């Protein structure tokens, strides 16, 4: 009897220790989840109870998974097979939850072959890494983490800038961090739901034995694994995915490339496009012959050279270019400037972000369309030999200065400006006690610094290049405008970002008006070139309302697409120039040449651009317009466009 009683006590203790805790966890979790589900069904309000349901389901998944796998591990004999299967599962799982975070219609847009290719390639790469590290779990956990980070990063990039996280953006990570504080980061339902997928992934990973048993020496295993990994990575970046598997890169809307192919493949395809390829039929002799026909460098000798002030105003745009919206209130001060030399709209290479590409086009006269719309030359191309306005002005006796009320390292400007021959570069580090508007220096304070730079010495003419920051993205918090009189509060009360933006533009226009008013009373010659860098990233519903198209579903009609790349420009002078006063739309790559022409500085490349403008008034990465006013897609061949690519390549490489 004693043996039987002892046996019963033993099994009772075993039952209590092994199963009761698991049962309690399961019951508690089930009650919580069912309660949330019942409330949802009863209340018919998914938004109200969704978060509670998500976290309840996450809780039950994790607790059950951890308890069930606490002591149950797959046997050594079967672990190898299970490791491969679990790696396939994690690759599939991480792919879909990462894409679902930022894609609203994932299953409708993703291409099946792109999904399969990604899962196969990522699985092989993961197994190779496991071979090197001799650890299974750490690699698989890393996959889940990377997928989560990329999914969230893509979501926030789309929200704030209108584009996904692209390779060129990643190269400029330090710039992004410096303006990241100006945005509001909300944790979305999709991010929370992705945690359920991660919980299932953790459950699967826990069945694996972490340490991989290897029959060979550690060194040999690392060498074999390293060789396999290197070979895998080499193939990933050397294979032409777009041509081999017919994976289309959308030249109209780069986000669609990510929506259709997934982040992994789209990211790689973009990296492959970042190399500056030599144009077809390129010949140094032919380009030099073309440029030589435009004569030599000259400077109009009519006394003193004017001081040149170039202002690229952050996110400065007239929203009426998109559709029917009255912007007369915020643009009033801008339109009151009637003593301009040239005025109109300028077509830029970016939308919602990517300021440095607009800067590149203006300063170099080269078009991003000659390179790749996925490239940020400031980050990825050597610019030591490239033609630029600062170097041209410096060569004829100007002091060259740049000012930007942000950190000098933003967009790699410190190194780029040095390569451009800019002698003095001031950033936010060099400014004290400035007026701020929201998180950024106000345009008024920005212009006060420009005036100080001009007044430091008037004995030598100055070329000053300025990039403002007041209107930078992050418009959601309307309260940051303090007690300002708001623009559009009645018509667009449902869009606080639109109200914030329009109010900022009103302040920006008034600051510009007052800035020019100061120089009207200066006897020295002053010429100011002012332009916006891109349109802002605003609420997609608002854009669709006035534009007629969702930014993610644009028609492939070039003229319609180009509206998103259209911002104001103005060239103003406090003295009589030889140029005829006119209003004309051009593209940004020509604006610097037009400015130099008014100043009286010429060289073969400037004259070439002025001549090309007559034949191709507008050109960027999304298309071009011929002299007859007809728009063409980038794929349509044109001898002048092809020649411009060859000349642009020559001016970048110096040969």
């Amino acid at each position: 009897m004693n043996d039987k009683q002892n046996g019963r006590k033993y099994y009772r203790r075993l039952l209590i220790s092994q199963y009761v805790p698991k049962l309690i966890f399961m019951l508690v979790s089930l009650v919580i989840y069912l309660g949330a589900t019942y409330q949802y069904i009863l209340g018919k309000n998914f938004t109200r109870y969704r978060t509670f349901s998500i976290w309840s389901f996450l809780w039950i998944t994790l607790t059950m998974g951890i308890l069930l796998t606490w002591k149950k591990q797959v046997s050594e004999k079967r672990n190898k097979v299970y490791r491969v299967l679990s790696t396939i599962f994690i690759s599939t799982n991480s792919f879909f939850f990462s894409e679902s975070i930022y894609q609203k219609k994932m299953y409708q847009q993703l291409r099946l072959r792109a999904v399969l290719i990604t899962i196969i390639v990522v699985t092989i790469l993961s197994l190779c890494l496991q071979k090197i590290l001799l650890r299974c779990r750490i690699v698989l956990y890393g996959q889940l983490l990377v997928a989560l980070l990329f999914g969230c990063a893509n979501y926030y990039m789309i929200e704030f800038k209108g584009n996904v996280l692209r390779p060129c953006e990643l190269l400029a990570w330090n710039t992004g961090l410096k303006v990241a504080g100006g945005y509001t980061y909300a944790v979305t339902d999709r991010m929370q739901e992705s945690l359920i997928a991660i919980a299932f992934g953790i459950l699967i990973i826990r069945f694996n034995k972490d340490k991989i048993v290897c029959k060979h020496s550690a060194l040999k295993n690392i060498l074999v694994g390293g060789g396999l990994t290197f070979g895998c990575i080499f193939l990933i970046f050397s294979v032409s995915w777009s041509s081999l598997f017919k994976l289309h890169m959308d030249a109209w809307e780069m986000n669609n490339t990510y929506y259709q192919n997934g982040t992994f493949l789209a990211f790689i395809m973009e990296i492959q496009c970042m190399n500056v390829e030599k144009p077809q039929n390129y010949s140094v002799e032919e380009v030099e012959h073309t440029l030589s026909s435009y004569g030599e460098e000259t400077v109009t000798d009519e006394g003193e050279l004017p001081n040149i002030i170039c202002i690229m105003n952050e996110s400065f745009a007239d929203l009426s270019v998109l559709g029917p919206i009255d912007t007369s209130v915020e643009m009033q001060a801008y339109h009151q400037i009637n003593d301009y030399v040239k005025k109109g709209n300028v077509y830029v290479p970016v939308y919602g972000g990517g300021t440095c590409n607009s800067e590149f086009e203006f300063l170099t006269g080269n078009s991003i369309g000659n390179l790749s719309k996925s490239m940020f030359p400031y980050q990825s191309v050597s610019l030591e030999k490239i033609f630029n306005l600062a170097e041209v002005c410096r060569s004829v006796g100007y002091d060259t200065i740049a000012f930007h009320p942000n950190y000098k390292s933003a967009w790699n400007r410190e190194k780029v400006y040095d390569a451009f021959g800019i002698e003095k570069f001031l950033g936010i580090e060099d400014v004290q006690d400035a007026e701020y508007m929201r998180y950024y220096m106000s345009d008024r304070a920005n212009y006060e610094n420009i005036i100080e730079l001009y007044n430091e010495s008037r004995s030598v003419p100055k070329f000053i290049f300025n990039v403002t920051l007041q209107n930078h993205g992050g418009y959601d918090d309307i309260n940051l405008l303090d007690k300002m009189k708001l623009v559009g509060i009645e018509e667009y009360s449902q869009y606080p970002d639109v109200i914030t933006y329009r109010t900022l533009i009103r302040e920006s226009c008034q600051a510009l008006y007052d800035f020019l008013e100061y120089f009207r009373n200066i006897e020295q010659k002053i010429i100011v070139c002012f332009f916006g860098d891109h349109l802002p990233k605003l609420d997609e519903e608002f854009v669709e309302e006035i534009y007629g198209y969702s930014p993610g579903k644009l028609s492939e009609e070039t003229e319609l697409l180009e509206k998103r790349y259209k911002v104001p420009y103005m060239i103003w002078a406090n003295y009589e120039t030889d140029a005829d006063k006119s209003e004309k739309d051009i593209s940004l790559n020509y604006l610097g040449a037009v400015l130099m022409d008014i100043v009286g500085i010429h060289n073969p490349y400037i004259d070439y651009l002025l001549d090309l403008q007559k034949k191709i008034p507008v050109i960027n990465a999304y298309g071009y317009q011929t002299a007859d006013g007809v728009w063409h897609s980038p794929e349509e061949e044109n001898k002048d466009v092809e020649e411009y690519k060859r000349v642009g390549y020559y001016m970048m490489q110096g040969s």
Side-chain angles (χ1 to χ4, degrees):
M1 284 294 291
N2 290 336
D3 291 339
K4 288 183 179 180
Q5 288 177 350
N6 290 335
R8 289 188 189 125
K9 289 179 180 179
Y10 170 76
Y11 285 113
R12 197 161 40 240
R13 285 196 302 269
L14 183 64
L15 180 66
I16 292 172
S17 63
Q18 291 291 321
Y19 297 105
V20 170
K22 296 179 181 180
L23 185 62
I24 292 173
F25 267 112
M26 291 170 64
L27 287 175
V28 171
S29 302
L30 191 59
V31 168
I32 293 173
Y33 183 67
L34 289 177
T37 305
Y38 174 75
Q39 289 288 346
Y40 160 61
I41 294 171
L42 192 65
K44 303 293 183 182
N45 189 337
F46 186 69
T47 304
R48 183 177 177 185
Y49 300 105
R50 185 176 188 176
T51 300
F52 186 37
S53 299
I54 289 169
W55 284 94
S56 300
F57 192 68
L58 176 63
W59 169 259
I60 190 173
T61 304
L62 278 173
T63 52
M64 288 179 65
I66 291 172
L67 288 168
L68 290 172
T69 61
W70 193 264
K71 291 187 178 181
K72 290 187 176 182
Q73 298 288 334
V74 177
S75 65
E76 189 65 49
K77 186 177 180 181
R78 299 180 180 178
N79 190 61
K80 188 174 182 179
V81 175
Y82 184 79
R83 180 164 58 86
V84 174
L85 294 176
S86 61
T87 302
I88 294 172
F89 175 84
I90 295 301
S91 299
T92 306
N93 179 49
S94 58
F95 173 86
F96 281 108
F97 84 68
S98 179
E99 297 299 317
S100 69
I101 290 175
Y102 75 96
Q103 291 206 45
K104 294 181 179 179
K105 297 181 179 179
M106 178 179 68
Y107 296 107
Q108 297 177 22
Q109 298 181 105
L110 279 172
R111 293 190 177 100
L112 178 60
R113 60 179 176 274
V115 175
L116 293 175
I117 292 168
T118 300
I119 292 171
I120 292 170
V121 172
V122 172
T123 298
I124 294 172
L125 183 59
S126 178
L127 290 171
C128 289
L129 290 173
Q130 292 173 34
K131 184 76 172 174
I132 294 178
L133 300 174
L134 294 179
R135 290 287 186 274
C136 172
R137 291 182 184 176
I138 191 172
V139 174
L140 298 181
Y141 286 145
Q143 277 186 249
L144 293 177
L145 178 61
V146 170
L148 178 64
L149 292 176
F150 264 90
C152 293
N154 281 335
Y155 171 80
Y156 289 126
M157 287 292 293
I158 291 172
E159 282 292 298
F160 301 150
K161 290 191 173 183
N163 59 270
V164 292
L165 179 65
R166 298 162 63 183
C168 43
E169 297 273 6
L170 200 58
L171 286 172
W173 63 270
N174 56 334
T175 301
L177 287 178
K178 287 165 185 172
V179 296
Y183 297 104
T184 303
Y185 298 87
V187 178
T188 66
D189 290 330
R190 290 183 184 179
M191 292 178 190
Q192 296 180 51
E193 288 165 358
S194 69
L195 296 178
I196 297 173
I198 293 174
F200 277 117
I202 292 173
L203 173 61
I204 296 298
I205 293 171
R206 281 190 55 80
F207 274 100
N208 280 287
K209 289 184 176 180
D210 187 33
K211 190 173 182 180
I212 299 173
V213 177
C214 182
K215 297 179 181 179
H216 309 290
S217 66
L219 179 60
K220 184 177 181 180
N221 194 74
I222 290 172
L223 291 174
V224 172
L228 291 172
T229 304
F230 177 80
C232 184
I233 294 173
F234 176 78
L235 287 174
I236 287 172
F237 287 99
S238 61
V239 168
S240 177
W241 302 99
S242 54
S243 58
L244 183 62
F245 296 100
K246 309 298 181 184
L247 299 176
H248 177 58
M249 283 191 71
D250 193 340
W252 303 96
E253 182 62 44
M254 189 57 70
N255 285 1
N256 289 338
T257 302
Y258 284 73
Y259 295 152
Q260 294 166 3
N261 302 311
T263 300
F264 180 80
L265 281 180
F267 204 81
I268 292 169
M269 290 162 67
E270 278 217 78
I271 290 175
Q272 292 175 331
C273 291
M274 287 179 68
N275 295 324
V276 181
E277 295 183 2
K278 188 177 292 186
Q280 291 184 349
N281 304 318
Y282 177 75
S283 167
V284 173
E285 292 76 16
E286 287 186 13
V287 172
E288 290 179 344
H289 175 72
T290 298
L291 292 175
S292 66
S293 65
Y294 290 94
E296 299 179 355
E297 183 172 323
T298 61
V299 179
T300 303
D301 186 13
E302 293 183 357
E304 64 173 316
L305 287 168
N307 288 272
I308 302 171
I309 302 174
C310 303
I311 301 168
M312 185 171 74
N313 195 280
E314 173 67 41
S315 298
F316 186 89
D318 184 345
L319 297 179
S320 64
V321 299
L322 293 176
I325 178 175
D326 183 8
T327 60
S328 59
V329 175
E330 62 263 38
M331 300 293 294
Q332 181 179 4
Y334 183 81
H335 294 315
Q336 286 177 347
I337 304 170
N338 295 317
D339 53 341
Y340 56 85
V341 181
K342 302 288 181 183
K343 187 178 182 181
N345 289 306
V346 61
Y347 289 83
V348 296
V350 289
Y351 172 80
T355 298
C356 68
N357 277 6
S358 293
E359 190 174 330
F360 170 83
E361 286 202 346
F362 173 73
L363 289 173
T364 68
N366 212 331
S367 173
I368 296 298
N370 289 343
L371 308 174
S372 167
K373 61 185 291 186
S374 64
M375 179 185 290
F376 285 175
Y378 272 25
Q379 300 288 342
S380 55
V381 178
S382 173
L383 300 174
E384 295 290 338
K385 300 177 181 179
I386 195 169
F387 166 92
N388 69 87
L389 297 183
E391 190 63 54
V392 169
C393 289
R394 185 181 178 185
S395 68
V396 297
Y398 279 83
D399 283 347
T400 52
I401 305 168
F403 173 65
H404 177 47
N406 199 355
Y407 294 99
K408 295 178 185 177
S409 58
W411 286 126
N412 200 31
R413 284 190 177 97
E414 196 163 20
K415 293 181 180 178
V416 171
Y417 288 171
D418 183 61
F420 282 179
I422 292 177
E423 300 161 299
K424 183 178 181 180
F425 176 30
L426 301 178
I428 194 64
E429 305 96 322
D430 305 300
V431 179
Q432 295 179 349
D433 302 324
E435 175 191 62
Y436 275 65
M437 196 169 291
R438 300 178 305 144
Y439 306 103
Y440 311 112
M441 182 184 290
S442 69
D443 278 1
R444 188 170 298 279
N446 174 93
Y447 295 148
E448 288 173 357
N449 279 276
I450 298 299
I451 291 171
E452 286 182 14
L453 288 170
Y454 163 74
N455 284 322
E456 282 181 357
S457 172
R458 298 191 182 185
S459 59
V460 179
K462 294 182 176 67
F463 171 87
I464 301 175
F465 181 69
N466 170 227
V467 182
T468 72
L469 201 58
Q470 173 188 292
N471 306 324
H472 196 282
Y475 313 112
D476 290 337
D477 192 350
I478 201 170
N479 296 317
L480 293 174
L481 295 176
D482 297 325
K483 297 181 180 179
M484 286 185 187
K485 184 179 179 181
L486 303 176
V487 178
I489 187 69
E490 296 178 357
E491 310 99 303
Y492 296 102
S493 57
Q494 71 273 38
Y495 303 122
D497 60 331
V498 176
I499 297 168
T500 298
Y501 175 75
R502 294 181 66 186
T503 304
L504 291 171
I505 292 300
R506 181 196 62 204
E507 299 300 309
S508 189
C509 289
Q510 188 61 54
L512 175 65
Y513 183 91
D514 295 341
F515 176 67
L516 298 183
E517 189 66 29
Y518 173 85
F519 286 109
R520 284 191 178 96
N521 302 315
I522 298 294
E523 292 184 1
Q524 268 193 320
K525 290 182 178 180
I526 308 291
I527 188 165
V528 176
C529 181
F530 174 92
F531 61 98
D533 60 347
H534 54 69
L535 275 92
K537 172 63 177 68
L538 297 173
D539 189 290
E540 190 170 317
E541 290 184 6
F542 164 77
V543 176
E544 187 172 353
E545 179 181 328
I546 64 169
Y547 191 19
Y549 287 87
S550 169
K553 295 181 179 179
L554 277 175
S555 164
E556 293 189 1
E557 184 181 343
T558 306
E559 185 173 2
L560 176 63
L561 178 73
E562 291 281 4
K563 287 183 178 181
R564 291 205 304 163
Y565 301 92
K566 195 174 179 181
V567 295
Y569 82 92
M570 178 190 298
I571 297 177
W572 175 93
N574 70 346
Y575 65 98
E576 290 294 327
T577 69
D578 294 332
D580 294 329
K581 181 178 180 179
S582 63
E583 292 192 27
K584 184 180 181 181
D585 290 357
I586 61 175
S587 51
L588 189 53
N589 59 306
Y590 298 127
L591 185 57
V594 172
L595 174 64
M596 292 295 104
D597 183 41
I598 296 171
V599 171
I601 298 175
H602 290 267
N603 65 24
Y605 183 54
I606 289 172
D607 290 342
Y608 167 78
L609 290 173
L610 293 172
D611 186 44
L612 178 64
Q613 183 196 1
K614 298 173 185 176
K615 295 175 280 187
I616 311 290
V618 176
I619 183 170
N620 59 19
Y622 307 93
Y624 61 92
Q625 185 188 57
T626 45
D628 56 6
V630 177
W631 287 94
H632 303 266
S633 71
E635 290 77 19
E636 293 184 57
E637 292 186 3
N638 180 289
K639 63 180 181 64
D640 294 312
V641 172
E642 295 305 314
E643 182 184 66
Y644 180 38
K645 290 180 180 179
R646 294 190 287 270
V647 172
Y649 181 83
Y650 176 87
M651 298 308 294
M652 282 191 69
Q653 304 296 324
S655 63

